Amino acid sequence: MPNPHASPDQDDSPTPAERDSRARIRRRGLLAFAVAAPTLTVAVRLGMGADAAPLPTGLPSLPGLADFVDLGDLLTTMALPTSRLLVLEVTPENRVVLQLPRAEVGQGISTAIAMLVAEELDARLSDVDTPLADARPALLFNQMTGGSNSVRSLYEPVRAMAAQARARLVTAAAQLWKVRADTLITRDTKVIAPDGRTATYGSLSASAAKIAAPAVPDKPKPATKHKVIGRPTTRLDARDLVTGKAKYALDLAVPGALPAVVRRPPTIGGTVVSVDDSAARAMPGVVAVAAIPTGVAVVASTFGEAIAAKDALKVTWGKGPVDQLSDEDIRRNLRAATLPLGPLSSLTPHIDAEFDFAFVPHAPMETNSAVADVRPDRAEIWAGLKTPIIAQETIAKEVGLPVDKVTVHVTRGGGSFGRRLFFDGALEAAQVSKKVGRPVKLMWTRVDDIRHGRARAATHHKIRVTHLAGQVLSYEHRVASVETDFRTGAGEALSAAFANLLPPAFPQAVFALTEKVPYNFGLVTELLNEVPLRMNTASWRSVYSATVRASEEIMVDEVARRLGQDPLAFRRAVLKSARGKAVLDWVAKNGKWGRSLPAGHAQGVAYHEEYQSCTACLVELDATDRKNPRVTRAVIAADVGRPINPRGVEAQLLGGLTDGISTILTAGVHIQKGLPLEGTFSQFHYARQRNIPSQVDIHVMPANGEPGGAGELGVPAAAAAVANAYARATGTSPRSFPINFPVDFEPLPR
């Protein structure tokens, strides 16, 4: 049906893709949310006058690989065969315990999975425990945390397992009371008979374990019956986190474990040639000094004593692989590696732009730390790990033990953003423990973590958009990146071996499975070329999308301006997805897009879709002081399919906003002669609380379909919205990020 509010120049009829999407939504009974505001309302707010150029309809673009199957789909499929090995236990004490085969690093997965269990078991959420499972090689691909995949991959298996447990508990109660099973109900972690008798799940657990064929259906509930799933819920561990009760690796009281730190080389990847440790060994509290492949470790009675002795070591260092490289060298390498644009695209009117993004360390609040106890016949490791299976296999090989003699305990991690896909600290702790013959608590200092830890790779982007008669004809994006390290594969030996043997293939696969242009921009090509510089890199939140999609969204604003269009109206006109238009409409309405702001202030907007989810972000930015621009307001809407815990999704989006503000405005590291200059949070300028807007409105769209990914979703849209707001507020076109990136400090000694 035509839109009665559409302007004469606006074709508001849905595209075939939009019709399909709306049909799916209609079948789910949720058509009401598909368009959050009438088009006329949005157009007026966009400030479109009578002299505005007609909105383009967008030349249809062919779907990319990620439109059919994305990285999350692949990881879910790979995890499926071992889902039957997940462990759910109902204890005699009436506790429901699911051994969670994922890492809890602050994203709230423990609460979300507990909600799935509570929903299908009709258990009190407070009765559900989700301890982190030790490394279990039998799980294969099913114990990696990454790719915004944890809820997506566990949603069906956990619900099915809990539903089967509930059916058996009900059958056990029916046999106990000699009544029909279908007359019983479940509530609050117990079975209830029609006459009022009750039995806790714990009292029925032993009997239920013997039942092969339950007498009631054992399928998960339909969504219409959900009472826990979809309810905004405070994290189950919130009180423990704020009171200090929550335990991280270095909080554990492992008998005999002593503090250990490592003296690291003055350049990335440097090696130990010789050590004079005489002064260090004579210092108070020092127990042992040991050279390991990454440096020289000192074990002492306290961390203070260990750090002081570390600084007293006299080490002769061998060269690293990038000793002579600085920022300009790396940037020159990236520009040279950028693949060429199509030769014919220069023959039509076109818009060109190039963008540079600096290295950004992960720098989680908990530095890279671990506890290790390596004995001649066995080893035990404690660390926050996202790939515990490959960690276990690697450590076993390093210390010369069979894999089944190495126990790897996954502890709570104090942040990750991709950092804990690698287990550098756990491996070092095992090496040190073996050398000194005792348990150790190894801690990376903050300087270690920023200078020698891992980072998002520096990238260069070249983009060309061709257009004619107000329509975009083609979109070309060439990405050159310092090599991103994927050597942990998908968390187990087979994919890790593939990533090590064919290093170029793995990043190309990840790029193809994550990157797509969500607009009808005619002929679209996106190509990646990685430069094999052996820097300490790893997947960083949103992996490639954090820079690829951010630069694309900046370019969309510039194309809209060239075509005489409002940035938000232009996006809406060429966006393929009805869900995407809905989130854009929500932020336009609730963010009051186009409202009058003082000089030096501006709004910016951006959109992103990935992992079957989509989001729009609108920010307002004050750039009256260009050296200290500040985001003053943010409005975010996200459609994540079926949100398990909307409050958790809101937290993820707020974190994505923080990352976007940081990486666009201030956060990055300078490389000088093979080492980052920055070494502390006083030098690496990540956003503080004062840099976050006091007014943040986040809206999670009503549930539809299956869960999508949310962990990485918010970063690209937030980053681009901030960049676009800055450009509009200052009348400039930033091309290098972060924007404010001076060396305004005295670098620490190497």
Side-chain angles (χ1 to χ4, degrees), residues 451-490:
R451 284 186 160 180
H452 292 276
R454 295 179 181 269
R456 185 178 81 184
T459 57
H460 177 73
H461 302 256
K462 180 183 288 186
I463 301 176
R464 172 172 291 168
V465 179
T466 65
H467 60 93
L468 189 65
Q471 296 281 2
V472 173
L473 302 180
S474 67
Y475 178 92
E476 297 175 88
H477 191 159
R478 305 293 181 260
V479 185
S481 174
V482 172
E483 181 182 67
T484 298
D485 193 340
F486 287 105
R487 285 178 293 168
T488 57

Short mmCIF file of all heavy atoms in Angstrom, two decimals, residues 451-490:
data_model
loop_
_atom_site.label_atom_id
_atom_site.label_comp_id
_atom_site.label_asym_id
_atom_site.label_seq_id
_atom_site.Cartn_x
_atom_site.Cartn_y
_atom_site.Cartn_z
N ARG A 451 52.29 -2.13 25.61
CA ARG A 451 53.42 -2.16 24.67
C ARG A 451 53.66 -3.53 24.04
O ARG A 451 54.03 -3.61 22.86
CB ARG A 451 54.70 -1.71 25.39
CG ARG A 451 54.76 -0.21 25.61
CD ARG A 451 56.09 0.22 26.17
NE ARG A 451 56.33 1.64 25.95
CZ ARG A 451 57.42 2.29 26.35
NH1 ARG A 451 58.38 1.64 26.98
NH2 ARG A 451 57.57 3.57 26.09
N HIS A 452 53.47 -4.59 24.78
CA HIS A 452 53.78 -5.93 24.27
C HIS A 452 52.54 -6.81 24.14
O HIS A 452 52.65 -7.94 23.67
CB HIS A 452 54.81 -6.62 25.16
CG HIS A 452 56.16 -5.98 25.11
ND1 HIS A 452 57.08 -6.27 24.14
CD2 HIS A 452 56.73 -5.03 25.90
CE1 HIS A 452 58.17 -5.55 24.32
NE2 HIS A 452 57.99 -4.79 25.38
N GLY A 453 51.39 -6.30 24.58
CA GLY A 453 50.15 -7.04 24.39
C GLY A 453 49.68 -6.93 22.95
O GLY A 453 50.39 -6.42 22.07
N ARG A 454 48.49 -7.38 22.72
CA ARG A 454 47.99 -7.40 21.35
C ARG A 454 47.12 -6.17 21.08
O ARG A 454 46.69 -5.48 21.99
CB ARG A 454 47.24 -8.70 21.09
CG ARG A 454 48.20 -9.88 21.16
CD ARG A 454 47.54 -11.22 20.95
NE ARG A 454 48.54 -12.28 21.07
CZ ARG A 454 49.24 -12.76 20.05
NH1 ARG A 454 49.04 -12.28 18.83
NH2 ARG A 454 50.14 -13.71 20.24
N ALA A 455 46.88 -5.93 19.78
CA ALA A 455 46.19 -4.71 19.39
C ALA A 455 45.40 -4.93 18.11
O ALA A 455 45.66 -5.88 17.35
CB ALA A 455 47.20 -3.57 19.17
N ARG A 456 44.45 -4.06 17.88
CA ARG A 456 43.78 -4.01 16.58
C ARG A 456 44.80 -3.51 15.56
O ARG A 456 45.51 -2.53 15.78
CB ARG A 456 42.59 -3.04 16.63
CG ARG A 456 41.78 -3.00 15.36
CD ARG A 456 40.59 -2.06 15.49
NE ARG A 456 40.96 -0.67 15.28
CZ ARG A 456 40.12 0.35 15.42
NH1 ARG A 456 38.88 0.13 15.83
NH2 ARG A 456 40.51 1.59 15.19
N ALA A 457 44.88 -4.18 14.44
CA ALA A 457 45.88 -3.84 13.43
C ALA A 457 45.62 -2.48 12.82
O ALA A 457 44.46 -2.08 12.62
CB ALA A 457 45.89 -4.91 12.34
N ALA A 458 46.69 -1.76 12.51
CA ALA A 458 46.57 -0.52 11.76
C ALA A 458 46.08 -0.83 10.35
O ALA A 458 46.45 -1.85 9.76
CB ALA A 458 47.92 0.19 11.70
N THR A 459 45.22 0.07 9.80
CA THR A 459 44.64 -0.17 8.49
C THR A 459 44.66 1.09 7.64
O THR A 459 44.68 2.21 8.16
CB THR A 459 43.19 -0.66 8.59
OG1 THR A 459 42.41 0.30 9.32
CG2 THR A 459 43.09 -2.00 9.27
N HIS A 460 44.65 0.88 6.34
CA HIS A 460 44.47 1.97 5.37
C HIS A 460 43.31 1.58 4.46
O HIS A 460 43.19 0.42 4.05
CB HIS A 460 45.74 2.18 4.54
CG HIS A 460 45.58 3.23 3.48
ND1 HIS A 460 45.51 4.57 3.77
CD2 HIS A 460 45.45 3.13 2.12
CE1 HIS A 460 45.37 5.26 2.66
NE2 HIS A 460 45.33 4.41 1.64
N HIS A 461 42.45 2.55 4.16
CA HIS A 461 41.25 2.30 3.36
C HIS A 461 41.21 3.26 2.18
O HIS A 461 41.41 4.47 2.34
CB HIS A 461 39.99 2.50 4.20
CG HIS A 461 39.94 1.64 5.41
ND1 HIS A 461 39.14 0.52 5.51
CD2 HIS A 461 40.61 1.71 6.59
CE1 HIS A 461 39.32 -0.04 6.69
NE2 HIS A 461 40.21 0.66 7.36
N LYS A 462 40.96 2.73 0.99
CA LYS A 462 40.74 3.54 -0.20
C LYS A 462 39.34 3.23 -0.73
O LYS A 462 39.02 2.06 -0.99
CB LYS A 462 41.79 3.24 -1.27
CG LYS A 462 41.63 4.07 -2.55
CD LYS A 462 42.65 3.67 -3.60
CE LYS A 462 44.04 4.16 -3.21
NZ LYS A 462 45.02 3.90 -4.31
N ILE A 463 38.54 4.26 -0.87
CA ILE A 463 37.13 4.08 -1.26
C ILE A 463 36.82 4.99 -2.44
O ILE A 463 37.22 6.15 -2.47
CB ILE A 463 36.18 4.41 -0.08
CG1 ILE A 463 36.50 3.50 1.13
CG2 ILE A 463 34.73 4.24 -0.50
CD1 ILE A 463 35.67 3.82 2.36
N ARG A 464 36.09 4.43 -3.38
CA ARG A 464 35.57 5.23 -4.50
C ARG A 464 34.09 4.91 -4.70
O ARG A 464 33.71 3.74 -4.74
CB ARG A 464 36.34 4.95 -5.79
CG ARG A 464 35.72 5.62 -7.04
CD ARG A 464 36.61 5.48 -8.25
NE ARG A 464 37.83 6.28 -8.08
CZ ARG A 464 38.89 6.18 -8.87
NH1 ARG A 464 38.90 5.28 -9.86
NH2 ARG A 464 39.96 6.94 -8.66
N VAL A 465 33.30 5.96 -4.82
CA VAL A 465 31.87 5.83 -5.09
C VAL A 465 31.58 6.57 -6.39
O VAL A 465 31.88 7.77 -6.51
CB VAL A 465 31.02 6.42 -3.96
CG1 VAL A 465 29.53 6.29 -4.29
CG2 VAL A 465 31.34 5.73 -2.64
N THR A 466 31.03 5.87 -7.39
CA THR A 466 30.65 6.53 -8.64
C THR A 466 29.16 6.83 -8.60
O THR A 466 28.37 6.10 -7.98
CB THR A 466 30.97 5.66 -9.86
OG1 THR A 466 30.18 4.47 -9.82
CG2 THR A 466 32.44 5.29 -9.89
N HIS A 467 28.78 7.89 -9.29
CA HIS A 467 27.37 8.29 -9.26
C HIS A 467 27.02 8.99 -10.56
O HIS A 467 27.88 9.54 -11.26
CB HIS A 467 27.10 9.21 -8.07
CG HIS A 467 27.91 10.47 -8.08
ND1 HIS A 467 27.46 11.66 -8.63
CD2 HIS A 467 29.18 10.73 -7.64
CE1 HIS A 467 28.39 12.59 -8.51
NE2 HIS A 467 29.45 12.06 -7.90
N LEU A 468 25.75 9.00 -10.89
CA LEU A 468 25.25 9.66 -12.08
C LEU A 468 23.77 9.94 -11.89
O LEU A 468 23.02 9.06 -11.44
CB LEU A 468 25.48 8.78 -13.31
CG LEU A 468 25.20 9.43 -14.68
CD1 LEU A 468 26.19 10.56 -14.95
CD2 LEU A 468 25.29 8.37 -15.78
N ALA A 469 23.37 11.15 -12.20
CA ALA A 469 21.96 11.56 -12.12
C ALA A 469 21.37 11.29 -10.74
O ALA A 469 20.23 10.85 -10.61
CB ALA A 469 21.13 10.85 -13.19
N GLY A 470 22.18 11.53 -9.71
CA GLY A 470 21.69 11.38 -8.34
C GLY A 470 21.64 9.97 -7.82
O GLY A 470 21.16 9.73 -6.72
N GLN A 471 22.16 9.01 -8.60
CA GLN A 471 22.17 7.61 -8.18
C GLN A 471 23.60 7.12 -8.01
O GLN A 471 24.50 7.49 -8.78
CB GLN A 471 21.47 6.72 -9.22
CG GLN A 471 20.00 7.00 -9.41
CD GLN A 471 19.14 6.38 -8.31
OE1 GLN A 471 19.66 5.77 -7.38
NE2 GLN A 471 17.84 6.55 -8.41
N VAL A 472 23.82 6.28 -7.00
CA VAL A 472 25.11 5.64 -6.83
C VAL A 472 25.19 4.45 -7.79
O VAL A 472 24.31 3.59 -7.80
CB VAL A 472 25.32 5.16 -5.38
CG1 VAL A 472 26.60 4.34 -5.26
CG2 VAL A 472 25.36 6.35 -4.43
N LEU A 473 26.24 4.44 -8.60
CA LEU A 473 26.40 3.37 -9.58
C LEU A 473 27.27 2.23 -9.07
O LEU A 473 27.05 1.07 -9.42
CB LEU A 473 27.03 3.93 -10.86
CG LEU A 473 26.29 5.07 -11.56
CD1 LEU A 473 27.05 5.49 -12.81
CD2 LEU A 473 24.87 4.64 -11.91
N SER A 474 28.30 2.59 -8.28
CA SER A 474 29.21 1.54 -7.80
C SER A 474 29.88 1.99 -6.52
O SER A 474 30.00 3.20 -6.24
CB SER A 474 30.27 1.19 -8.85
OG SER A 474 31.14 2.29 -9.06
N TYR A 475 30.34 1.00 -5.78
CA TYR A 475 31.04 1.27 -4.52
C TYR A 475 32.24 0.33 -4.48
O TYR A 475 32.10 -0.90 -4.54
CB TYR A 475 30.11 1.01 -3.33
CG TYR A 475 30.79 1.22 -1.99
CD1 TYR A 475 30.74 2.45 -1.35
CD2 TYR A 475 31.50 0.20 -1.37
CE1 TYR A 475 31.37 2.66 -0.13
CE2 TYR A 475 32.14 0.39 -0.16
CZ TYR A 475 32.07 1.62 0.46
OH TYR A 475 32.71 1.82 1.65
N GLU A 476 33.44 0.90 -4.36
CA GLU A 476 34.67 0.11 -4.28
C GLU A 476 35.39 0.45 -2.99
O GLU A 476 35.57 1.62 -2.66
CB GLU A 476 35.59 0.43 -5.46
CG GLU A 476 35.03 0.09 -6.82
CD GLU A 476 35.97 0.55 -7.92
OE1 GLU A 476 36.87 -0.23 -8.29
OE2 GLU A 476 35.81 1.69 -8.40
N HIS A 477 35.82 -0.59 -2.27
CA HIS A 477 36.52 -0.39 -1.00
C HIS A 477 37.72 -1.33 -1.00
O HIS A 477 37.57 -2.55 -1.12
CB HIS A 477 35.59 -0.71 0.17
CG HIS A 477 36.12 -0.28 1.51
ND1 HIS A 477 35.28 -0.09 2.59
CD2 HIS A 477 37.36 -0.02 1.96
CE1 HIS A 477 36.01 0.28 3.64
NE2 HIS A 477 37.27 0.32 3.26
N ARG A 478 38.90 -0.75 -0.84
CA ARG A 478 40.12 -1.53 -0.75
C ARG A 478 40.73 -1.33 0.63
O ARG A 478 40.96 -0.19 1.06
CB ARG A 478 41.12 -1.11 -1.82
CG ARG A 478 40.55 -1.17 -3.25
CD ARG A 478 40.25 -2.61 -3.68
NE ARG A 478 39.73 -2.68 -5.03
CZ ARG A 478 38.45 -2.80 -5.34
NH1 ARG A 478 37.55 -2.88 -4.37
NH2 ARG A 478 38.06 -2.86 -6.59
N VAL A 479 40.97 -2.42 1.32
CA VAL A 479 41.48 -2.38 2.69
C VAL A 479 42.88 -2.99 2.72
O VAL A 479 43.08 -4.11 2.25
CB VAL A 479 40.57 -3.17 3.66
CG1 VAL A 479 41.07 -3.01 5.10
CG2 VAL A 479 39.13 -2.74 3.53
N ALA A 480 43.82 -2.24 3.24
CA ALA A 480 45.16 -2.78 3.51
C ALA A 480 45.35 -2.76 5.02
O ALA A 480 45.14 -1.74 5.67
CB ALA A 480 46.23 -1.95 2.82
N SER A 481 45.75 -3.89 5.56
CA SER A 481 45.86 -4.02 7.01
C SER A 481 47.15 -4.72 7.38
O SER A 481 47.61 -5.62 6.66
CB SER A 481 44.67 -4.85 7.55
OG SER A 481 44.81 -5.12 8.93
N VAL A 482 47.73 -4.28 8.48
CA VAL A 482 48.77 -5.12 9.09
C VAL A 482 48.12 -6.45 9.43
O VAL A 482 46.96 -6.51 9.85
CB VAL A 482 49.36 -4.44 10.34
CG1 VAL A 482 50.29 -5.39 11.09
CG2 VAL A 482 50.09 -3.16 9.96
N GLU A 483 48.85 -7.51 9.22
CA GLU A 483 48.31 -8.85 9.41
C GLU A 483 47.68 -9.03 10.80
O GLU A 483 48.29 -8.72 11.82
CB GLU A 483 49.44 -9.87 9.25
CG GLU A 483 49.03 -11.32 9.39
CD GLU A 483 50.24 -12.23 9.25
OE1 GLU A 483 51.11 -12.19 10.14
OE2 GLU A 483 50.32 -12.96 8.26
N THR A 484 46.43 -9.48 10.81
CA THR A 484 45.76 -9.82 12.06
C THR A 484 46.05 -11.28 12.40
O THR A 484 45.90 -12.16 11.55
CB THR A 484 44.24 -9.61 11.96
OG1 THR A 484 43.98 -8.22 11.70
CG2 THR A 484 43.54 -10.02 13.24
N ASP A 485 46.49 -11.52 13.60
CA ASP A 485 46.89 -12.87 14.02
C ASP A 485 45.65 -13.70 14.35
O ASP A 485 44.92 -13.39 15.29
CB ASP A 485 47.80 -12.75 15.25
CG ASP A 485 48.52 -14.06 15.56
OD1 ASP A 485 48.07 -15.12 15.10
OD2 ASP A 485 49.55 -14.01 16.27
N PHE A 486 45.43 -14.74 13.57
CA PHE A 486 44.31 -15.67 13.81
C PHE A 486 44.82 -17.07 14.15
O PHE A 486 44.12 -18.06 13.92
CB PHE A 486 43.41 -15.75 12.56
CG PHE A 486 42.56 -14.55 12.32
CD1 PHE A 486 42.89 -13.66 11.31
CD2 PHE A 486 41.43 -14.30 13.07
CE1 PHE A 486 42.11 -12.54 11.06
CE2 PHE A 486 40.65 -13.20 12.84
CZ PHE A 486 40.98 -12.31 11.83
N ARG A 487 46.02 -17.17 14.70
CA ARG A 487 46.64 -18.49 14.85
C ARG A 487 45.96 -19.38 15.88
O ARG A 487 46.30 -20.56 15.97
CB ARG A 487 48.13 -18.33 15.16
CG ARG A 487 48.96 -17.92 13.95
CD ARG A 487 50.41 -17.72 14.30
NE ARG A 487 50.59 -16.58 15.19
CZ ARG A 487 51.71 -16.31 15.84
NH1 ARG A 487 52.74 -17.12 15.73
NH2 ARG A 487 51.79 -15.25 16.61
N THR A 488 45.02 -18.86 16.64
CA THR A 488 44.25 -19.76 17.53
C THR A 488 43.08 -20.39 16.78
O THR A 488 42.35 -21.21 17.35
CB THR A 488 43.71 -19.00 18.75
OG1 THR A 488 42.91 -17.90 18.31
CG2 THR A 488 44.84 -18.50 19.62
N GLY A 489 42.89 -20.03 15.51
CA GLY A 489 41.83 -20.63 14.71
C GLY A 489 40.47 -20.44 15.33
O GLY A 489 40.13 -19.37 15.83
N ALA A 490 39.69 -21.50 15.31
CA ALA A 490 38.37 -21.49 15.93
C ALA A 490 38.42 -22.13 17.31
O ALA A 490 37.40 -22.59 17.83
CB ALA A 490 37.36 -22.23 15.05
#
